[in-house]
């Protein structure tokens, strides 16, 4: 038993205080004993009773807390067997335990992963199994947590499965993939266990073998449910998606099916599993998901666990036993020796024996108490460790916050220092500003003094200045100087006020504006210097005026007399001048008001014009961007068609693709012209919008029809065409993105789309079918001639088959006669069906010609529709050639000179040729035509008859060929090993040969498609009657535009629109 160490001292003193605690302690004790007995280092399977008690414990406490509290204390890294049995018990607890167990196990995912990784790195047999088992358990936990509808036991009804899958095909697809991954983990574990065990039956009866095989019971239970659910989901996926899309799913399911069937078969052969579980048997082959009715044939595998006899329970104390025995029971129970021979030395034991037994009981009781205390101590240790980890995480967080606070504190200190330096700089600037204000006030005082002096001079010498012209000019200059000084004063006052406001704003704003303030103050200082210079010049002019006034004062006396004389005249002239001046001032004011009003209106008009111009540019670009966005959505939809499974059924002709590509190239030129015009004048985007609309529609149409054309093209040209369409879509989308941005509009280059469009045009030219080297007026005659030749070939084939049947009845007997008759009868039925199909096709063609030719003749109708006529001729030749080949193959098979496979391939080829004939006839027929309905019915009959030929050939081949009974009973071990190696060598050789032949078949098909539309040289002869050609030189005529059809795995004929696609058997 695995003991738990390091019990805390305070736990040793705990004792149950009431019944609930006693019950809890008893439960913990029972779980600890069961876990210790179930998970140990003995190489033996886990006993069912111990696992059952653990599972019942999870239901009792509604979780797995107790289980994990003991499980994490197990020394799993020390023993691989211990880890293996731990995984087994955990698997059983997950499957049969309480639903909350899943969430409890989620918290210990890291523990499970660490155990698996540890043993995965060690080269230990059990260690490798533990690594795989832990991956399975982690996958199981993740799946059931993600999909809670599925319990851990994986047992749900079909209704719950439907509800979990839902109606969204993406959810169904994802759920199927996850179940495949789940099944892979289960099968990998079973394969690893079987790989380590010997295949002998006796291994399953050994304890070492049973230890490894025991977990496979849970694996069998899981796999049976997963297999049923994957079958249901696969049928549902095939009802929603095309079969080609799900090819990978089918391949993966087939691989899992064969692995699971092999696993169930090997397990059912072992004696160990026969008494523990009833393993279901899977069918011989996987379900056919391509046939919806196969779901009804599916039978759900059911695993049955037989009821086992109850094992002998070991005596365990489920409640506490006191130290003394209860009343009415003997204190000591005699052992078997005493019951048989009697007690030694009398019938009464001495006190020493009683003390020894009492001490033993006390030791057992103390041991159980100690185990219980240890278990509880381990729980407390785990809880304390969790608290320590939480406190350490909190301490680390506090340390990070402290470090962050220190960094923030340092930043705040740095910012405070910067603010202080900014404050000192602001105070210095304030001092400079005050000094500038003082200088300005001194200048203003000086100016006031000059103004007063000037006023005195004006009042004193006003009369003299009016009389003297020179004096008037000097006064005018003085007045201009005064006006200039006043203007300088106003500017200075305004600048000083502005300096004040800016200084206050700069002081409020902090250090980032100080440099700007310095520059402004320096500028203002320069202006003050200039003002001082102006004032000094004004003082000089004032001194000059003073000297002149002194000189004039002398003349004043002389002129005073003249002034008095002319005073009267002056007063009159003065009044007149005053009136004129007032009128002039009024006129000047009126003109000034009108000028200001006109300037305001002009500014408003200019602002309105600029707004309208900008609005026009914005509206033009918005229209261009909306058009580009819509064009981008159109192109994205076209590019999305390249990967759309629903678009696989759409086809187009290379001619139409060429016309669309040429139109798209013309649209590119128009787009370049519109782009250049828009860059020249952005006020008009109509040309670019029109060109962009046409370009997007034509380019999208080209991409869609390029994808549709690739569906009928050979593999290499189709891949190149798809890649070119993708490149064209990518460049067009890039151009649309550039046209939606102002910055990228100049770098847009529409000409880059021309290169992939030219590539599409070139590929379309290459894919155009090459017409037959026949004059158009001869096409009508050739159609009738080929149809008649085909009918004659079929009639000749029927006669030859009847002759072969008569010869076979005379030349063979018994099983061979029965096989030959069955094959020839099926060939006769096939020929009759082909004859009826050719007759119906001829009637339908006549109806098509009569309804479509109008006033033209039949030859003119065939010449007008030459390509359809060529396809009809090619299909008719193929049917006649196929009938001839079938007769020759049947003749060789009856004469035992040929192979049955040739007959099977000829049948498939006939089915394909008739499908081509039906498709060629159906192109121009009315869908409501009765002849078309009869033709489709005949086509289905031909395919059924071809299938009958294949079936009769295969059954006849199985009856005629001898089979080896493979009796190896007389061989020794060495000879068996030698033959096994020889068989493996032969199998490898055959696989290599098969691979080479498949490559050759692919090359032949590629060459056939390259020559499908070509015709022979002018001197080459074409047989007029397919039956008249020699057998050894018979050559199949070329097929017109035969589509590439990938062979299916089941080699079945698939019905679609009245035609059947032929599959070639490799």
């Amino acid at each position: 038993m695995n003991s738990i160490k390091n019990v805390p001292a305070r736990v040793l003193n705990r004792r149950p205080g009431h019944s609930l605690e006693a019950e809890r302690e008893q439960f913990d004790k029972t779980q600890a004993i069961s876990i210790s007995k179930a998970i140990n280092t003995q190489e033996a399977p886990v006993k069912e009773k111990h696992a059952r008690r653990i599972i019942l414990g999870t239901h009792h406490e509604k979780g797995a807390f107790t289980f994990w509290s003991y499980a994490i204390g197990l020394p799993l890294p020390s023993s691989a067997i211990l880890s293996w049995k731990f995984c087994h018990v955990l698997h059983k607890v997950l499957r049969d335990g309480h639903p909350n167990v899943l969430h409890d196990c989620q918290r210990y995912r890291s523990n499970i992963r660490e155990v698996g990784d540890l043993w995965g790195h060690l080269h230990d047999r059990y260690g490798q199994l533990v690594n795989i088992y832990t991956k399975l358990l982690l996958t199981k936990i993740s799946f059931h947590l993600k999909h809670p509808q599925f319990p851990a036991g994986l047992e749900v009804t079909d209704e719950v499965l439907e509800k979990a899958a839902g109606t969204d095909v993406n959810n169904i697809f994802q759920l199927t993939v996850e179940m495949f991954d789940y099944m892979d983990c289960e099968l990998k574990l079973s394969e690893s266990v079987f790989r380590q065990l010997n295949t002998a039956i006796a291994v399953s009866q050994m304890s070492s073998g049973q230890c490894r095989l025991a977990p496979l019971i849970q694996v069998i239970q899981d796999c049976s449910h997963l297999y049923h659910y994957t079958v249901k989901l696969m049928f549902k996926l095939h009802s929603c998606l095309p079969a080609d899309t799900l090819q990978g799913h089918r391949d993966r399911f087939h691989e899992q099916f064969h692995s699971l069937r092999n696993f169930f078969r090997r397990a059912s052969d072992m004696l160990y599993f026969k008494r523990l579980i009833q393993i279901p048997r899977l069918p011989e082959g996987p379900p056919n998901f391509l046939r919806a009715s196969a779901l009804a044939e599916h039978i759900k595998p059911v695993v049955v666990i037989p009821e086992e006899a109850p094992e002998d329970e070991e005596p365990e104390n489920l409640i506490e036993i006191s130290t003394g025995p209860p009343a009415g029971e003997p204190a000591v129970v005699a052992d078997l020796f005493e019951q048989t021979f009697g007690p030694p030395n009398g019938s009464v034991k001495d006190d020493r024996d009683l003390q020894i037994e009492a001490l033993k009981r006390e030791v057992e009781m103390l041991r159980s108490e100690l185990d219980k205390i240890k278990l509880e101590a381990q729980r407390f240790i785990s809880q304390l460790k969790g608290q320590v980890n939480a406190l350490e995480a909190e301490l680390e967080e506090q340390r990070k916050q402290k470090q962050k606070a220190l960094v923030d504190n340092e930043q705040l200190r740095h910012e405070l220092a910067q603010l202080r330096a900014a404050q000192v700089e602001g105070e210095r600037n304030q001092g400079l500003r005050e000094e500038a204000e003082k200088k300005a006030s001194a200048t203003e005082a000086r100016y006031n003094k000059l103004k007063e002096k000037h006023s005195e001079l004006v009042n004193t010498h006003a009369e003299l200045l009016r009389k003297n012209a020179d004096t008037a000019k000097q006064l005018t200059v003085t007045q201009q100087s005064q006006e200039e000084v006043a203007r300088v004063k106003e500017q200075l006052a305004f600048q000083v006020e502005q300096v004040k406001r800016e200084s206050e704003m700069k002081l409020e704003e902090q250090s980032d504006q100080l440099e700007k303030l310095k520059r402004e103050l320096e500028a203002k200082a320069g202006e003050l210097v200039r003002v001082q210079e102006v004032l000094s010049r004004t003082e000089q002019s004032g001194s000059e005026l003073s000297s002149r006034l002194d000189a004039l004062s002398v003349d004043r006396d002389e002129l005073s007399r003249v002034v008095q004389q002319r005073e009267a005249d002056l007063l009159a002239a003065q009044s007149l001048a005053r009136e004129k001046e007032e009128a002039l001032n009024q006129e000047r004011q009126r003109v000034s008001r009108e000028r200001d009003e006109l300037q305001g209106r002009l500014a408003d008009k200019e602002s309105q014009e600029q707004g309208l111009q900008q609005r026009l540019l914005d509206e033009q670009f918005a229209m261009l961007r909306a058009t580009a966005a819509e064009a981008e959505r159109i192109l994205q939809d076209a590019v999305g068609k390249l990967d759309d499974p629903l678009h696989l059924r759409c086809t187009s002709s290379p001619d139409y693709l060429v016309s669309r590509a040429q139109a798209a190239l013309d649209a590119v030129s128009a787009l370049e012209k519109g782009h250049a015009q828009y860059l020249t004048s952005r006020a008009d985007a109509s040309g670019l919008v029109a060109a962009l609309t046409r370009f997007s529609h034509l380019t999208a149409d080209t991409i869609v029809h390029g994808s549709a054309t690739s569906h009928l093209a050979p593999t290499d040209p189709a891949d190149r065409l798809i890649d070119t369409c993708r490149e064209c879509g990518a460049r067009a989308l890039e151009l649309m993105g550039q046209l939606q941005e102002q910055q990228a509009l100049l770098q847009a280059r529409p000409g880059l789309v021309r290169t992939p469009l030219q590539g599409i045009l070139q590929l379309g030219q290459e894919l155009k079918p090459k017409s037959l080297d026949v004059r158009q007026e001869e096409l009508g005659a050739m159609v009738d001639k080929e149809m008649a030749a085909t009918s004659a070939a079929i009639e000749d084939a029927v006669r030859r088959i009847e002759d072969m049947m008569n010869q076979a009845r005379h030349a063979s007997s018994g099983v061979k006669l029965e096989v030959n008759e069955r094959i020839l009868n099926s060939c006769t039925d096939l020929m009759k069906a082909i004859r009826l199909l050719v007759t119906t096709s001829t009637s339908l063609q006549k109806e098509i010609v009569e309804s479509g030719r109008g006033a033209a003749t039949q030859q003119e109708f065939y010449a007008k529709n030459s390509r359809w006529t060529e396809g009809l001729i090619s299909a008719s030749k193929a049917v006649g050639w196929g009938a001839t080949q079938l007769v020759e193959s049947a003749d060789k098979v009856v004469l035992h000179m040929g192979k049955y496979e040739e007959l099977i391939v000829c049948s498939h080829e006939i089915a394909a040729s008739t499908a081509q004939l039906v498709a060629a006839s159906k192109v121009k027929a009315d869908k409501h035509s009765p002849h078309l309905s009869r033709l489709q019915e005949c086509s289905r009959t031909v395919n059924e008859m071809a299938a009958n030929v294949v079936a009769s050939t295969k059954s006849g081949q199985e009856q005629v060929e001898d089979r080896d009974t493979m009796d190896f009973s007389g061989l020794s071990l060495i000879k068996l090993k030698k033959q096994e190696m020889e068989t493996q060598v032969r199998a490898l050789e055959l696989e290599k040969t098969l691979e080479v032949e498949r490559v050759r078949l692919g090359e032949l098909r590629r060459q056939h498609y390259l020559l499908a539309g070509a015709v022979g040289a002018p001197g080459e002869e074409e047989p007029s009657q397919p039956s008249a050609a020699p057998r050894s030189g018979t050559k199949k005529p070329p097929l017109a535009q035969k589509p590439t059809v990938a062979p299916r795995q089941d080699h079945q004929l698939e019905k679609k629109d009245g035609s059947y696609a032929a599959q070639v058997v490799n």
Side-chain angles (χ1 to χ4, degrees), residues 990-1022:
L990 292 176
E991 288 176 359
K992 184 176 181 180
T993 305
L994 176 61
E995 184 178 358
V996 172
E997 291 299 325
R998 281 178 175 170
V999 173
R1000 184 172 180 270
L1001 177 60
E1003 294 296 332
L1004 289 174
R1005 286 179 177 172
R1006 186 178 295 106
Q1007 187 65 22
H1008 170 71
Y1009 287 128
L1010 292 175
L1011 300 177
V1015 72
E1020 182 182 355
E1021 292 185 359
E1022 288 192 7

Coordinates of all heavy atoms in Angstrom, one line a residue, residues 990-1022:
L990 N 4.4 -6.6 -57.0 CA 3.1 -6.3 -57.6 C 2.7 -4.9 -57.3 O 2.1 -4.2 -58.2 CB 2.1 -7.3 -57.1 CG 2.2 -8.8 -57.5 CD1 1.2 -9.6 -56.8 CD2 2.1 -8.9 -59.0
E991 N 3.0 -4.4 -56.1 CA 2.6 -3.0 -55.8 C 3.4 -2.0 -56.7 O 2.9 -1.1 -57.2 CB 2.9 -2.7 -54.4 CG 1.9 -3.3 -53.4 CD 2.3 -3.1 -52.0 OE1 3.3 -2.4 -51.7 OE2 1.6 -3.5 -51.1
K992 N 4.7 -2.3 -56.9 CA 5.5 -1.5 -57.8 C 5.0 -1.5 -59.3 O 4.9 -0.5 -60.0 CB 7.0 -1.9 -57.8 CG 7.9 -1.0 -58.6 CD 9.3 -1.4 -58.4 CE 10.3 -0.5 -59.2 NZ 11.7 -0.9 -59.0
T993 N 4.6 -2.8 -59.7 CA 4.1 -2.9 -61.1 C 2.8 -2.1 -61.2 O 2.5 -1.5 -62.2 CB 3.9 -4.4 -61.4 OG1 5.1 -5.1 -61.2 CG2 3.4 -4.6 -62.8
L994 N 1.9 -2.2 -60.2 CA 0.7 -1.5 -60.2 C 0.9 0.0 -60.3 O 0.2 0.7 -61.0 CB -0.2 -1.9 -58.9 CG -1.5 -1.2 -58.7 CD1 -2.4 -1.5 -59.9 CD2 -2.1 -1.5 -57.4
E995 N 1.8 0.5 -59.5 CA 2.1 1.9 -59.6 C 2.6 2.4 -60.9 O 2.2 3.4 -61.5 CB 3.1 2.3 -58.5 CG 3.5 3.7 -58.4 CD 4.5 4.1 -57.3 OE1 4.9 3.1 -56.6 OE2 4.8 5.2 -57.1
V996 N 3.5 1.6 -61.6 CA 4.0 1.9 -62.9 C 2.8 1.9 -63.9 O 2.7 2.8 -64.8 CB 5.1 0.9 -63.3 CG1 5.5 1.1 -64.8 CG2 6.3 1.1 -62.4
E997 N 1.9 0.9 -63.8 CA 0.8 0.8 -64.7 C -0.1 2.0 -64.6 O -0.7 2.5 -65.5 CB 0.1 -0.5 -64.6 CG 0.9 -1.7 -65.0 CD 1.2 -1.7 -66.5 OE1 0.4 -1.1 -67.3 OE2 2.3 -2.1 -66.9
R998 N -0.3 2.4 -63.3 CA -1.2 3.6 -63.1 C -0.6 4.8 -63.7 O -1.3 5.7 -64.3 CB -1.4 3.8 -61.6 CG -2.4 2.8 -61.0 CD -2.6 3.0 -59.5 NE -3.6 2.1 -59.0 CZ -3.9 2.0 -57.7 NH1 -3.1 2.6 -56.8 NH2 -4.8 1.2 -57.3
V999 N 0.7 5.0 -63.6 CA 1.3 6.2 -64.2 C 1.2 6.1 -65.7 O 0.9 7.1 -66.4 CB 2.8 6.2 -63.8 CG1 3.6 7.3 -64.6 CG2 3.0 6.5 -62.3
R1000 N 1.4 4.9 -66.3 CA 1.2 4.7 -67.7 C -0.2 5.0 -68.2 O -0.5 5.7 -69.2 CB 1.6 3.3 -68.1 CG 1.6 3.0 -69.6 CD 2.2 1.7 -69.9 NE 2.2 1.4 -71.3 CZ 1.2 0.8 -72.0 NH1 0.1 0.4 -71.3 NH2 1.3 0.6 -73.3
L1001 N -1.2 4.6 -67.4 CA -2.6 4.9 -67.7 C -2.9 6.4 -67.7 O -3.6 6.9 -68.5 CB -3.5 4.2 -66.7 CG -5.0 4.4 -66.8 CD1 -5.5 3.9 -68.2 CD2 -5.8 3.7 -65.7
G1002 N -2.3 7.1 -66.7 CA -2.5 8.5 -66.6 C -1.9 9.2 -67.9 O -2.5 10.1 -68.4
E1003 N -0.7 8.8 -68.3 CA -0.1 9.4 -69.5 C -0.9 9.1 -70.7 O -1.1 9.9 -71.6 CB 1.3 8.8 -69.7 CG 2.3 9.2 -68.6 CD 2.5 10.7 -68.6 OE1 2.4 11.4 -69.6 OE2 2.8 11.3 -67.5
L1004 N -1.5 7.8 -70.8 CA -2.3 7.5 -72.0 C -3.6 8.4 -72.0 O -4.0 8.9 -73.1 CB -2.7 6.0 -71.9 CG -1.6 5.0 -72.2 CD1 -2.1 3.6 -72.0 CD2 -1.1 5.2 -73.7
R1005 N -4.2 8.6 -70.9 CA -5.4 9.4 -70.8 C -5.0 10.9 -71.2 O -5.8 11.5 -71.9 CB -6.0 9.4 -69.4 CG -6.7 8.1 -69.1 CD -7.2 8.2 -67.7 NE -8.0 7.0 -67.3 CZ -8.4 6.7 -66.1 NH1 -8.2 7.5 -65.1 NH2 -9.1 5.6 -65.9
R1006 N -3.9 11.4 -70.7 CA -3.5 12.7 -71.1 C -3.3 12.9 -72.6 O -3.7 13.8 -73.2 CB -2.2 13.1 -70.3 CG -1.8 14.5 -70.5 CD -0.5 14.9 -69.6 NE -0.8 14.8 -68.2 CZ -0.4 13.8 -67.4 NH1 0.4 12.8 -67.9 NH2 -0.7 13.8 -66.1
Q1007 N -2.6 11.9 -73.2 CA -2.4 11.9 -74.6 C -3.7 11.8 -75.4 O -3.9 12.5 -76.4 CB -1.4 10.8 -75.0 CG -1.0 10.9 -76.5 CD -0.1 12.1 -76.8 OE1 0.4 12.7 -75.9 NE2 -0.1 12.5 -78.0
H1008 N -4.6 11.0 -74.8 CA -5.9 10.9 -75.5 C -6.7 12.2 -75.5 O -7.3 12.6 -76.5 CB -6.7 9.8 -74.7 CG -8.2 9.8 -75.2 ND1 -8.6 9.3 -76.4 CD2 -9.3 10.2 -74.5 CE1 -9.9 9.4 -76.5 NE2 -10.4 9.9 -75.3
Y1009 N -6.6 13.0 -74.4 CA -7.3 14.2 -74.3 C -6.6 15.3 -75.2 O -7.3 16.2 -75.8 CB -7.3 14.8 -72.9 CG -8.3 14.0 -72.0 CD1 -7.9 13.5 -70.8 CD2 -9.6 13.8 -72.4 CE1 -8.8 12.8 -70.0 CE2 -10.5 13.1 -71.6 CZ -10.1 12.6 -70.4 OH -11.0 11.9 -69.6
L1010 N -5.3 15.2 -75.4 CA -4.6 16.1 -76.3 C -5.0 15.9 -77.7 O -5.1 16.8 -78.5 CB -3.1 16.0 -76.1 CG -2.5 16.4 -74.8 CD1 -1.0 16.1 -74.8 CD2 -2.7 17.9 -74.6
L1011 N -5.3 14.6 -78.1 CA -5.6 14.3 -79.4 C -7.2 14.2 -79.6 O -7.6 13.7 -80.7 CB -5.0 12.9 -79.9 CG -3.5 12.9 -79.8 CD1 -3.0 11.5 -80.2 CD2 -2.9 13.9 -80.8
A1012 N -7.9 14.6 -78.6 CA -9.4 14.3 -78.6 C -10.0 15.1 -79.8 O -11.0 14.6 -80.4 CB -10.0 14.7 -77.3
G1013 N -9.6 16.4 -80.0 CA -10.2 17.2 -81.0 C -9.5 17.2 -82.3 O -9.9 17.8 -83.3
A1014 N -8.4 16.4 -82.4 CA -7.6 16.4 -83.6 C -8.2 15.4 -84.6 O -8.9 14.5 -84.3 CB -6.1 16.1 -83.4
V1015 N -7.8 15.6 -85.9 CA -8.3 14.6 -86.9 C -7.1 14.1 -87.7 O -6.0 14.7 -87.6 CB -9.3 15.3 -87.9 CG1 -8.5 16.3 -88.8 CG2 -10.0 14.3 -88.7
G1016 N -7.2 13.0 -88.4 CA -6.1 12.4 -89.1 C -5.6 13.2 -90.3 O -6.2 14.2 -90.7
A1017 N -4.5 12.8 -90.8 CA -3.9 13.5 -92.0 C -4.8 13.3 -93.2 O -5.7 12.4 -93.2 CB -2.5 13.0 -92.3
P1018 N -4.7 14.1 -94.3 CA -5.6 14.0 -95.4 C -5.5 12.7 -96.1 O -6.5 12.1 -96.6 CB -5.1 15.1 -96.4 CG -4.5 16.1 -95.5 CD -3.9 15.3 -94.4
G1019 N -4.4 12.0 -96.1 CA -4.2 10.7 -96.8 C -4.6 9.6 -95.9 O -4.6 8.4 -96.3
E1020 N -5.0 9.8 -94.6 CA -5.3 8.7 -93.7 C -6.7 8.2 -94.0 O -7.7 9.0 -94.2 CB -5.2 9.2 -92.2 CG -5.5 8.2 -91.2 CD -5.4 8.7 -89.8 OE1 -5.1 9.9 -89.7 OE2 -5.7 8.0 -88.9
E1021 N -6.8 6.9 -94.0 CA -8.1 6.3 -94.3 C -8.9 6.1 -93.0 O -8.4 5.8 -92.0 CB -7.9 4.9 -95.0 CG -7.3 5.0 -96.4 CD -7.3 3.7 -97.0 OE1 -7.6 2.7 -96.4 OE2 -6.8 3.6 -98.2
E1022 N -10.2 6.3 -93.1 CA -11.1 6.0 -92.0 C -12.1 5.0 -92.4 O -12.7 5.0 -93.5 CB -11.9 7.3 -91.6 CG -11.1 8.3 -90.9 CD -11.9 9.4 -90.3 OE1 -13.1 9.3 -90.3 OE2 -11.3 10.4 -89.8

